[in-house]
Coordinates of all heavy atoms in Angstrom, one line a residue:
W81 N -59.3 -97.2 -25.3 CA -60.5 -97.1 -24.6 C -61.7 -97.0 -25.4 O -61.8 -96.1 -26.3 CB -60.5 -95.8 -23.7 CG -61.5 -95.6 -22.6 CD1 -62.8 -95.5 -22.7 CD2 -61.2 -95.7 -21.2 NE1 -63.4 -95.5 -21.4 CE2 -62.4 -95.5 -20.6 CE3 -60.1 -95.7 -20.4 CZ2 -62.5 -95.5 -19.1 CZ3 -60.1 -95.8 -19.0 CH2 -61.3 -95.6 -18.4
F82 N -62.7 -97.9 -25.3 CA -63.9 -98.0 -26.2 C -65.0 -97.1 -25.6 O -65.3 -97.2 -24.4 CB -64.3 -99.5 -26.3 CG -63.5 -100.2 -27.3 CD1 -62.2 -100.8 -26.9 CD2 -63.9 -100.5 -28.7 CE1 -61.5 -101.4 -27.9 CE2 -63.1 -101.2 -29.5 CZ -61.9 -101.7 -29.2
D83 N -65.5 -96.4 -26.5 CA -66.6 -95.4 -26.0 C -67.8 -95.5 -26.9 O -68.1 -94.7 -27.8 CB -66.0 -94.0 -26.1 CG -67.0 -92.9 -25.6 OD1 -67.8 -93.3 -24.7 OD2 -66.9 -91.8 -26.0
L84 N -68.5 -96.7 -26.8 CA -69.7 -97.0 -27.6 C -70.8 -96.0 -27.5 O -71.4 -95.7 -28.6 CB -70.2 -98.4 -27.2 CG -71.3 -99.0 -28.1 CD1 -70.8 -99.2 -29.5 CD2 -71.9 -100.3 -27.5
D85 N -71.1 -95.5 -26.3 CA -72.2 -94.6 -26.3 C -71.8 -93.1 -26.4 O -72.6 -92.2 -26.2 CB -73.0 -94.7 -24.9 CG -72.0 -94.6 -23.7 OD1 -70.9 -94.3 -23.9 OD2 -72.5 -94.8 -22.6
K86 N -70.4 -92.9 -26.7 CA -69.9 -91.5 -26.9 C -70.2 -90.6 -25.8 O -70.6 -89.3 -26.1 CB -70.5 -91.0 -28.3 CG -70.3 -91.8 -29.5 CD -71.0 -91.3 -30.8 CE -70.7 -92.1 -32.0 NZ -71.1 -93.5 -31.9
T87 N -69.9 -91.0 -24.6 CA -70.1 -90.1 -23.5 C -68.7 -89.9 -22.8 O -68.6 -89.0 -21.8 CB -71.0 -90.7 -22.4 OG1 -70.5 -92.0 -22.0 CG2 -72.4 -90.9 -23.0
L88 N -67.7 -90.4 -23.3 CA -66.4 -90.3 -22.6 C -65.7 -88.9 -22.8 O -65.9 -88.3 -23.9 CB -65.3 -91.2 -23.2 CG -64.0 -91.2 -22.7 CD1 -63.8 -91.7 -21.2 CD2 -62.9 -92.1 -23.5
N89 N -65.2 -88.3 -21.8 CA -64.6 -87.0 -21.8 C -63.1 -87.2 -21.9 O -62.4 -87.5 -20.8 CB -65.0 -86.2 -20.6 CG -64.7 -84.7 -20.8 OD1 -63.6 -84.3 -21.4 ND2 -65.5 -83.8 -20.2
P90 N -62.3 -87.1 -22.9 CA -61.0 -87.5 -23.1 C -60.1 -86.6 -22.2 O -59.0 -87.0 -21.7 CB -60.6 -87.4 -24.6 CG -61.9 -86.6 -25.2 CD -63.0 -86.8 -24.3
I91 N -60.6 -85.3 -22.0 CA -59.7 -84.4 -21.1 C -59.5 -85.0 -19.7 O -58.5 -84.8 -19.1 CB -60.4 -83.1 -21.2 CG1 -60.4 -82.5 -22.5 CG2 -59.5 -82.1 -20.3 CD1 -61.1 -81.1 -22.6
A92 N -60.6 -85.6 -19.2 CA -60.6 -86.2 -17.9 C -59.5 -87.3 -17.9 O -58.8 -87.5 -16.8 CB -61.9 -86.8 -17.5
L93 N -59.4 -88.1 -19.0 CA -58.3 -89.2 -19.1 C -57.0 -88.5 -19.0 O -56.0 -89.0 -18.3 CB -58.5 -90.0 -20.3 CG -59.6 -91.2 -20.3 CD1 -59.7 -91.8 -21.6 CD2 -59.2 -92.2 -19.2
Y94 N -56.8 -87.5 -19.7 CA -55.5 -86.9 -19.8 C -55.1 -86.3 -18.4 O -54.0 -86.4 -18.0 CB -55.5 -85.7 -20.9 CG -55.8 -86.1 -22.2 CD1 -56.4 -85.0 -23.2 CD2 -55.5 -87.3 -22.7 CE1 -56.6 -85.5 -24.5 CE2 -55.8 -87.7 -24.0 CZ -56.4 -86.7 -24.9 OH -56.6 -87.2 -26.1
Q95 N -56.1 -85.6 -17.8 CA -55.9 -85.1 -16.4 C -55.5 -86.2 -15.5 O -54.8 -85.9 -14.5 CB -57.1 -84.3 -16.0 CG -56.9 -83.3 -14.8 CD -55.9 -82.3 -15.1 OE1 -55.7 -81.8 -16.3 NE2 -55.2 -81.8 -14.1
A96 N -56.0 -87.3 -15.6 CA -55.9 -88.4 -14.7 C -54.5 -89.1 -14.9 O -54.0 -89.9 -14.0 CB -56.8 -89.5 -14.8
G97 N -53.8 -88.6 -15.9 CA -52.5 -89.2 -16.2 C -52.2 -90.0 -17.5 O -51.2 -90.6 -17.5
V98 N -53.3 -90.1 -18.3 CA -53.1 -91.0 -19.5 C -52.7 -90.0 -20.6 O -53.4 -89.2 -21.0 CB -54.4 -91.6 -19.9 CG1 -54.1 -92.5 -21.1 CG2 -54.9 -92.5 -18.7
G99 N -51.4 -90.0 -21.1 CA -51.0 -89.1 -22.1 C -51.6 -89.5 -23.3 O -51.9 -90.5 -23.7
S100 N -51.7 -88.3 -24.2 CA -52.3 -88.5 -25.5 C -51.4 -89.3 -26.5 O -52.1 -89.9 -27.4 CB -52.5 -87.1 -26.1 OG -51.2 -86.4 -26.2
D101 N -50.2 -89.5 -26.2 CA -49.4 -90.3 -27.1 C -49.6 -91.8 -26.7 O -49.1 -92.7 -27.5 CB -47.9 -90.0 -26.9 CG -47.4 -90.1 -25.5 OD1 -48.2 -89.9 -24.6 OD2 -46.2 -90.4 -25.4
R102 N -50.3 -92.1 -25.6 CA -50.5 -93.5 -25.2 C -51.9 -93.9 -25.3 O -52.3 -95.0 -24.7 CB -49.9 -93.7 -23.9 CG -48.3 -93.4 -23.8 CD -47.8 -93.6 -22.4 NE -47.7 -95.0 -22.1 CZ -47.3 -95.4 -20.9 NH1 -47.0 -94.7 -20.0 NH2 -47.2 -96.8 -20.7
L103 N -52.8 -93.1 -25.9 CA -54.2 -93.4 -25.7 C -54.9 -93.3 -27.2 O -54.6 -92.5 -28.0 CB -54.9 -92.2 -24.9 CG -56.4 -92.2 -24.8 CD1 -56.9 -93.5 -24.1 CD2 -56.9 -91.0 -24.2
L104 N -55.8 -94.3 -27.3 CA -56.6 -94.4 -28.6 C -58.0 -94.5 -28.1 O -58.3 -95.3 -27.1 CB -56.3 -95.6 -29.4 CG -55.2 -95.5 -30.4 CD1 -54.8 -96.8 -30.9 CD2 -55.5 -94.5 -31.5
I105 N -59.0 -93.6 -28.7 CA -60.4 -93.8 -28.2 C -61.2 -94.3 -29.5 O -61.0 -93.7 -30.5 CB -60.9 -92.5 -27.9 CG1 -60.1 -91.9 -26.6 CG2 -62.4 -92.5 -27.5 CD1 -60.5 -90.6 -26.1
L106 N -61.8 -95.4 -29.3 CA -62.5 -96.0 -30.4 C -64.1 -95.8 -30.1 O -64.5 -96.2 -29.0 CB -62.1 -97.4 -30.7 CG -60.8 -97.7 -31.2 CD1 -60.5 -99.2 -31.6 CD2 -60.3 -96.8 -32.3
R107 N -64.8 -95.6 -31.1 CA -66.2 -95.4 -30.9 C -66.9 -96.2 -31.9 O -67.4 -95.7 -33.0 CB -66.7 -93.9 -31.0 CG -66.2 -93.2 -29.8 CD -66.4 -91.7 -29.9 NE -66.3 -91.0 -28.6 CZ -66.1 -89.7 -28.4 NH1 -66.2 -89.0 -29.5 NH2 -65.9 -89.2 -27.3
P108 N -67.1 -97.5 -31.9 CA -67.7 -98.4 -32.8 C -69.2 -98.0 -32.9 O -69.8 -97.3 -31.9 CB -67.7 -99.8 -32.2 CG -66.6 -99.6 -31.3 CD -66.6 -98.3 -30.6

Side-chain angles (χ1 to χ4, degrees):
W81 195 292
F82 282 80
D83 183 28
L84 184 63
D85 57 3
K86 300 178 175 61
T87 61
L88 177 68
N89 195 329
I91 298 175
L93 277 175
Y94 301 154
Q95 191 66 28
V98 183
S100 58
D101 60 330
R102 305 181 69 183
L103 174 67
L104 277 167
I105 298 174
L106 294 188
R107 290 173 170 167

